[in-house]
Amino acid sequence: MSPLESLRLSWRSIRGHRLRSALTTLGVIIGVAAVIAFVALGASLQAGIIGDISPDDQRNLYGWAADPDTEGGPLAGAQFVFSQDDLEAVEELEAVDAAYGYATIDAQSVTHEGETRLQSNGLIAAGPSYIRESSLREGRQFEMGEREAVINPAAAEQFEENVSVGDELEVRIATGGTETVTVVGITDTSEGLSPFEGFDAAPRMYVPTDPFYLEQAVGPAGGGGDSGEGNDDSESDNDETGSETDVRYLAIVVEAPSADEDDVDAAREAATAYFESEESDASEFLGEDVAVSLQTSTELLQQLEDILDILQSFIVGIAAISLVVGSIGIANIMLVSVTERTREIGIMKAVGAQNRDVLGLFLTEAVILGVIGAVLGTVLGLVVAALAARYIDIPLVYPLEYVALAIVAGILVGVVSGLYPAWRAARTDPIDALRYE
């Protein structure tokens, strides 16, 4: 019997039991779809995040102080250790281009032209260079010491009347008081600008640490307090309750002169050496339990990739179990098929069919079921990945190598699961088969 004839007879048998064949391949479909969907999403997420890292951001070092054994992403276990004097001293280092604190200020709402919107993400306080000129759609960076803000498109478009450069916004701070800020720039993307923020698209307002964070940190509430338009008296308040020089930052950003690896390493070594020296205010808190960590966006994303790799291995393990279940299902159905077609096998042998012909016929049927399951699983996995990528707004990356592996896995599942039923069918005695009812 020619391979083409085996293929035709096998396909006719599968079509004769459509529902049973579909249910048989379900385990293979689920297993392959899970692998394809997760691998595609992982690759898409990685490509989307890496694509968001601008060349300018590659020279930034994001720093915090925490227990070296603390696991997790950026700021895991971070402590308030960096003073304003530390940042000014680091900025004076030859290997460093700029250094500033990073902080978030909890807000409740933002009001524009009498229209109020909830602003759960609050204000992001940083240095002016945190907002690159190249990342601005219009306007300019904010200036230190001024009540100015740069917002992203999501924040600008959340009101009926879009916010423009020059407009004023009233921000209600969670700890009390209201800040009035003048919008001086709008970024070209609503996605986060650094790993500290995350890279999701959400309304964000960027303001200078001076005065916004400094006033909040030394306010009468002990880490928060009234501010806003009445802050002309903030200096006297500071004298009564604390000093701006006592302000500590949870996170900092240190900028190297360029994105060159040597420059970035030199900035890291110089800044770390300063923080660990007795000259720094941070050194009084550092030791075996607390150490400074300065990492680039790429290094921080490597941690994300490691987590994705672990999750991918976990999903592949689950998918492997599903493929084993699918393989058992195919083997079971093939054994049933051999029993149902015993008389057919007897007739085939009576008219001259050899054992290898019967073996090839049933093996081909099992392989077809495995390949169909792999193909349908691949299509389903890609559809799920495409919908998920569209939902979270990331570019879809097709894992072509895994598509090929899925097809190979389908063939292997078919061969493994169909080998014994086909061997059993081939060894059927033709006399007994013809008498079988």
Side-chain angles (χ1 to χ4, degrees):
M1 185 182 299
S2 67
L4 191 60
E5 184 68 12
S6 296
L7 189 63
R8 189 182 68 80
L9 293 174
S10 299
W11 181 244
R12 187 181 66 179
S13 174
I14 292 172
R15 290 187 60 189
H17 304 85
R18 288 189 177 90
L19 180 59
R20 188 173 74 180
S21 300
L23 294 175
T24 301
T25 58
L26 201 55
V28 180
I29 293 174
I30 293 173
V32 171
V35 173
I36 295 295
F38 191 81
V39 170
L41 272 179
S44 301
L45 185 62
Q46 184 177 342
I49 292 177
I50 291 176
D52 290 334
I53 300 176
S54 66
D56 280 337
D57 187 55
Q58 293 175 11
R59 67 190 179 102
N60 284 4
L61 288 161
Y62 299 94
W64 66 95
D67 187 332
D69 296 329
T70 302
E71 296 182 354
L75 299 181
Q79 305 290 326
F80 287 87
V81 303
F82 305 106
S83 70
Q84 186 65 35
D85 289 341
D86 284 341
L87 295 174
E88 292 172 0
V90 169
E91 194 167 38
E92 294 298 321
L93 297 174
E94 186 177 352
V96 174
D97 190 53
Y100 47 84
Y102 174 94
T104 57
I105 300 172
D106 293 337
Q108 290 181 333
S109 61
V110 180
T111 301
H112 171 59
E113 300 287 348
E115 186 181 355
T116 300
R117 289 285 183 270
L118 295 176
Q119 183 75 34
S120 59
N121 285 345
L123 307 180
I124 296 172
S129 59
Y130 185 77
I131 311 292
R132 304 288 181 189
E133 291 285 358
S134 58
S135 66
L136 288 171
R137 186 177 70 189
E138 58 180 301
R140 58 172 174 80
Q141 298 167 312
F142 53 69
E143 295 179 0
M144 278 293 187
E146 301 294 334
R147 297 189 179 279
E148 299 176 340
V150 173
I151 63 176
N152 66 6
E157 296 166 3
Q158 62 182 335
F159 301 96
E160 290 185 9
E161 293 289 337
N162 287 354
V163 180
S164 303
V165 172
D167 290 348
E168 290 190 342
L169 299 176
E170 291 186 359
V171 184
R172 186 162 186 78
I173 305 300
T175 53
T178 301
E179 295 279 1
T180 299
V181 299
T182 302
V183 177
V184 296
I186 299 177
T187 61
D188 59 0
T189 176
S190 294
E191 297 171 350
L193 301 180
S194 78
F196 283 158
E197 299 176 45
F199 294 96
D200 59 313
R204 291 183 174 90
M205 299 180 64
Y206 303 97
V207 296
T209 53
D210 177 16
F212 293 97
Y213 178 68
L214 296 182
E215 289 179 353
Q216 291 295 312
V218 301
D226 292 337
S227 55
E229 295 178 288
N231 280 329
D232 292 341
D233 299 331
S234 60
E235 187 174 345
S236 58
D237 289 343
N238 293 344
D239 292 338
E240 295 174 2
T241 59
S243 168
E244 292 181 356
T245 59
D246 296 331
V247 170
R248 300 282 178 150
Y249 291 94
L250 189 69
I252 59 172
V253 180
V254 176
E255 297 182 3
S258 75
D260 184 81
E261 187 175 349
D262 292 337
D263 286 346
V264 173
D265 289 341
R268 187 199 327 258
E269 292 172 5
T272 302
Y274 171 79
F275 287 127
E276 293 177 348
S277 70
E278 294 182 353
E279 300 175 19
S280 74
D281 295 331
S283 62
E284 62 181 299
F285 300 104
L286 302 182
E288 293 183 358
D289 295 335
V290 180
V292 174
S293 177
L294 290 166
Q295 298 185 30
T296 64
S297 293
T298 305
E299 291 166 344
L300 290 169
L301 288 177
Q302 183 61 48
Q303 297 178 5
L304 175 62
E305 291 180 23
D306 293 342
I307 295 173
L308 287 176
D309 288 342
I310 294 173
L311 288 175
Q312 183 173 312
S313 301
F314 179 71
I315 295 296
V316 169
I318 294 176
I321 295 173
S322 181
L323 288 176
V324 171
V325 173
S327 177
I328 293 173
I330 292 177
N332 183 46
I333 290 301
M334 290 307 301
L335 286 172
V336 172
S337 180
V338 169
T339 303
E340 289 178 346
R341 296 160 64 184
T342 301
R343 188 172 178 81
E344 180 185 341
I345 294 171
I347 295 173
M348 288 175 61
K349 288 196 170 183
V351 298
Q354 302 297 315
N355 286 349
R356 65 174 180 276
D357 296 326
V358 178
L359 181 74
L361 179 64
F362 283 89
L363 200 57
T364 301
E365 188 171 330
V367 170
I368 290 175
L369 288 174
V371 171
I372 289 175
V375 171
L376 293 179
T378 300
V379 173
L380 179 62
L382 290 176
V383 169
V384 171
L387 292 175
R390 184 175 181 180
Y391 179 74
I392 57 180
D393 194 22
I394 56 174
L396 179 63
V397 175
Y398 294 99
L400 297 179
E401 65 276 17
Y402 275 85
V403 172
L405 282 175
I407 303 300
V408 172
I411 294 173
L412 288 176
V413 166
V415 170
V416 171
S417 60
L419 204 54
Y420 173 70
W423 174 79
R424 183 173 168 180
R427 288 180 57 84
T428 302
D429 183 79
I431 303 300
D432 293 338
L434 287 171
R435 287 189 297 193
Y436 183 81
E437 295 294 339

PDB file of all heavy atoms in Angstrom, residues 398-413:
ATOM      1  N   TYR A 398       5.886  36.934  16.977  1.00  0.00           N
ATOM      2  CA  TYR A 398       5.533  35.552  16.652  1.00  0.00           C
ATOM      3  C   TYR A 398       6.723  34.631  16.939  1.00  0.00           C
ATOM      4  O   TYR A 398       7.789  34.797  16.347  1.00  0.00           O
ATOM      5  CB  TYR A 398       5.130  35.437  15.187  1.00  0.00           C
ATOM      6  CG  TYR A 398       3.856  36.172  14.863  1.00  0.00           C
ATOM      7  CD1 TYR A 398       3.890  37.432  14.287  1.00  0.00           C
ATOM      8  CD2 TYR A 398       2.617  35.615  15.152  1.00  0.00           C
ATOM      9  CE1 TYR A 398       2.720  38.121  13.999  1.00  0.00           C
ATOM     10  CE2 TYR A 398       1.443  36.290  14.867  1.00  0.00           C
ATOM     11  CZ  TYR A 398       1.502  37.534  14.294  1.00  0.00           C
ATOM     12  OH  TYR A 398       0.341  38.214  14.018  1.00  0.00           O
ATOM     13  N   PRO A 399       6.547  33.646  17.824  1.00  0.00           N
ATOM     14  CA  PRO A 399       7.650  32.720  18.131  1.00  0.00           C
ATOM     15  C   PRO A 399       7.710  31.603  17.084  1.00  0.00           C
ATOM     16  O   PRO A 399       7.256  30.483  17.334  1.00  0.00           O
ATOM     17  CB  PRO A 399       7.269  32.194  19.516  1.00  0.00           C
ATOM     18  CG  PRO A 399       5.775  32.228  19.522  1.00  0.00           C
ATOM     19  CD  PRO A 399       5.348  33.359  18.627  1.00  0.00           C
ATOM     20  N   LEU A 400       8.275  31.906  15.920  1.00  0.00           N
ATOM     21  CA  LEU A 400       8.244  30.957  14.801  1.00  0.00           C
ATOM     22  C   LEU A 400       8.932  29.640  15.148  1.00  0.00           C
ATOM     23  O   LEU A 400       8.511  28.569  14.713  1.00  0.00           O
ATOM     24  CB  LEU A 400       8.913  31.601  13.575  1.00  0.00           C
ATOM     25  CG  LEU A 400       8.216  32.860  13.042  1.00  0.00           C
ATOM     26  CD1 LEU A 400       8.977  33.411  11.845  1.00  0.00           C
ATOM     27  CD2 LEU A 400       6.782  32.547  12.658  1.00  0.00           C
ATOM     28  N   GLU A 401      10.005  29.710  15.945  1.00  0.00           N
ATOM     29  CA  GLU A 401      10.703  28.481  16.290  1.00  0.00           C
ATOM     30  C   GLU A 401       9.814  27.563  17.126  1.00  0.00           C
ATOM     31  O   GLU A 401       9.867  26.338  17.003  1.00  0.00           O
ATOM     32  CB  GLU A 401      12.019  28.777  17.021  1.00  0.00           C
ATOM     33  CG  GLU A 401      11.885  29.442  18.378  1.00  0.00           C
ATOM     34  CD  GLU A 401      11.741  30.944  18.286  1.00  0.00           C
ATOM     35  OE1 GLU A 401      11.432  31.441  17.204  1.00  0.00           O
ATOM     36  OE2 GLU A 401      11.935  31.616  19.321  1.00  0.00           O
ATOM     37  N   TYR A 402       8.951  28.176  17.958  1.00  0.00           N
ATOM     38  CA  TYR A 402       8.050  27.360  18.775  1.00  0.00           C
ATOM     39  C   TYR A 402       6.902  26.799  17.929  1.00  0.00           C
ATOM     40  O   TYR A 402       6.348  25.755  18.258  1.00  0.00           O
ATOM     41  CB  TYR A 402       7.499  28.179  19.942  1.00  0.00           C
ATOM     42  CG  TYR A 402       8.437  28.187  21.121  1.00  0.00           C
ATOM     43  CD1 TYR A 402       9.474  29.098  21.194  1.00  0.00           C
ATOM     44  CD2 TYR A 402       8.303  27.266  22.150  1.00  0.00           C
ATOM     45  CE1 TYR A 402      10.359  29.098  22.254  1.00  0.00           C
ATOM     46  CE2 TYR A 402       9.174  27.248  23.225  1.00  0.00           C
ATOM     47  CZ  TYR A 402      10.212  28.175  23.267  1.00  0.00           C
ATOM     48  OH  TYR A 402      11.080  28.158  24.322  1.00  0.00           O
ATOM     49  N   VAL A 403       6.513  27.494  16.870  1.00  0.00           N
ATOM     50  CA  VAL A 403       5.499  26.950  15.957  1.00  0.00           C
ATOM     51  C   VAL A 403       6.036  25.681  15.310  1.00  0.00           C
ATOM     52  O   VAL A 403       5.335  24.654  15.217  1.00  0.00           O
ATOM     53  CB  VAL A 403       5.132  27.996  14.880  1.00  0.00           C
ATOM     54  CG1 VAL A 403       4.238  27.380  13.827  1.00  0.00           C
ATOM     55  CG2 VAL A 403       4.430  29.193  15.526  1.00  0.00           C
ATOM     56  N   ALA A 404       7.293  25.727  14.868  1.00  0.00           N
ATOM     57  CA  ALA A 404       7.905  24.530  14.281  1.00  0.00           C
ATOM     58  C   ALA A 404       8.011  23.410  15.313  1.00  0.00           C
ATOM     59  O   ALA A 404       7.728  22.231  15.016  1.00  0.00           O
ATOM     60  CB  ALA A 404       9.296  24.890  13.736  1.00  0.00           C
ATOM     61  N   LEU A 405       8.396  23.785  16.546  1.00  0.00           N
ATOM     62  CA  LEU A 405       8.501  22.771  17.600  1.00  0.00           C
ATOM     63  C   LEU A 405       7.138  22.155  17.907  1.00  0.00           C
ATOM     64  O   LEU A 405       7.037  20.958  18.220  1.00  0.00           O
ATOM     65  CB  LEU A 405       9.080  23.403  18.868  1.00  0.00           C
ATOM     66  CG  LEU A 405      10.591  23.634  18.883  1.00  0.00           C
ATOM     67  CD1 LEU A 405      11.005  24.378  20.151  1.00  0.00           C
ATOM     68  CD2 LEU A 405      11.329  22.300  18.800  1.00  0.00           C
ATOM     69  N   ALA A 406       6.069  22.962  17.826  1.00  0.00           N
ATOM     70  CA  ALA A 406       4.724  22.449  18.101  1.00  0.00           C
ATOM     71  C   ALA A 406       4.334  21.390  17.077  1.00  0.00           C
ATOM     72  O   ALA A 406       3.739  20.356  17.421  1.00  0.00           O
ATOM     73  CB  ALA A 406       3.722  23.603  18.089  1.00  0.00           C
ATOM     74  N   ILE A 407       4.658  21.654  15.806  1.00  0.00           N
ATOM     75  CA  ILE A 407       4.344  20.675  14.755  1.00  0.00           C
ATOM     76  C   ILE A 407       5.140  19.382  14.990  1.00  0.00           C
ATOM     77  O   ILE A 407       4.594  18.265  14.882  1.00  0.00           O
ATOM     78  CB  ILE A 407       4.681  21.246  13.359  1.00  0.00           C
ATOM     79  CG1 ILE A 407       3.915  22.553  13.126  1.00  0.00           C
ATOM     80  CG2 ILE A 407       4.348  20.218  12.282  1.00  0.00           C
ATOM     81  CD1 ILE A 407       2.421  22.417  13.188  1.00  0.00           C
ATOM     82  N   VAL A 408       6.421  19.526  15.325  1.00  0.00           N
ATOM     83  CA  VAL A 408       7.247  18.348  15.609  1.00  0.00           C
ATOM     84  C   VAL A 408       6.684  17.584  16.810  1.00  0.00           C
ATOM     85  O   VAL A 408       6.614  16.341  16.804  1.00  0.00           O
ATOM     86  CB  VAL A 408       8.708  18.773  15.877  1.00  0.00           C
ATOM     87  CG1 VAL A 408       9.534  17.584  16.358  1.00  0.00           C
ATOM     88  CG2 VAL A 408       9.324  19.366  14.620  1.00  0.00           C
ATOM     89  N   ALA A 409       6.253  18.337  17.843  1.00  0.00           N
ATOM     90  CA  ALA A 409       5.671  17.694  19.034  1.00  0.00           C
ATOM     91  C   ALA A 409       4.407  16.934  18.651  1.00  0.00           C
ATOM     92  O   ALA A 409       4.163  15.823  19.152  1.00  0.00           O
ATOM     93  CB  ALA A 409       5.359  18.747  20.102  1.00  0.00           C
ATOM     94  N   GLY A 410       3.583  17.510  17.757  1.00  0.00           N
ATOM     95  CA  GLY A 410       2.361  16.823  17.321  1.00  0.00           C
ATOM     96  C   GLY A 410       2.676  15.521  16.613  1.00  0.00           C
ATOM     97  O   GLY A 410       2.009  14.491  16.836  1.00  0.00           O
ATOM     98  N   ILE A 411       3.714  15.541  15.753  1.00  0.00           N
ATOM     99  CA  ILE A 411       4.113  14.310  15.045  1.00  0.00           C
ATOM    100  C   ILE A 411       4.614  13.264  16.040  1.00  0.00           C
ATOM    101  O   ILE A 411       4.246  12.077  15.967  1.00  0.00           O
ATOM    102  CB  ILE A 411       5.202  14.638  14.005  1.00  0.00           C
ATOM    103  CG1 ILE A 411       4.614  15.538  12.910  1.00  0.00           C
ATOM    104  CG2 ILE A 411       5.764  13.355  13.400  1.00  0.00           C
ATOM    105  CD1 ILE A 411       5.645  16.054  11.929  1.00  0.00           C
ATOM    106  N   LEU A 412       5.438  13.697  16.996  1.00  0.00           N
ATOM    107  CA  LEU A 412       5.969  12.758  17.993  1.00  0.00           C
ATOM    108  C   LEU A 412       4.856  12.166  18.849  1.00  0.00           C
ATOM    109  O   LEU A 412       4.859  10.954  19.147  1.00  0.00           O
ATOM    110  CB  LEU A 412       6.987  13.477  18.889  1.00  0.00           C
ATOM    111  CG  LEU A 412       8.320  13.819  18.223  1.00  0.00           C
ATOM    112  CD1 LEU A 412       9.207  14.606  19.182  1.00  0.00           C
ATOM    113  CD2 LEU A 412       9.032  12.540  17.779  1.00  0.00           C
ATOM    114  N   VAL A 413       3.902  13.019  19.251  1.00  0.00           N
ATOM    115  CA  VAL A 413       2.775  12.520  20.041  1.00  0.00           C
ATOM    116  C   VAL A 413       2.007  11.468  19.250  1.00  0.00           C
ATOM    117  O   VAL A 413       1.625  10.416  19.777  1.00  0.00           O
ATOM    118  CB  VAL A 413       1.842  13.685  20.444  1.00  0.00           C
ATOM    119  CG1 VAL A 413       0.496  13.161  20.950  1.00  0.00           C
ATOM    120  CG2 VAL A 413       2.498  14.526  21.517  1.00  0.00           C
TER     121      VAL A 413
END
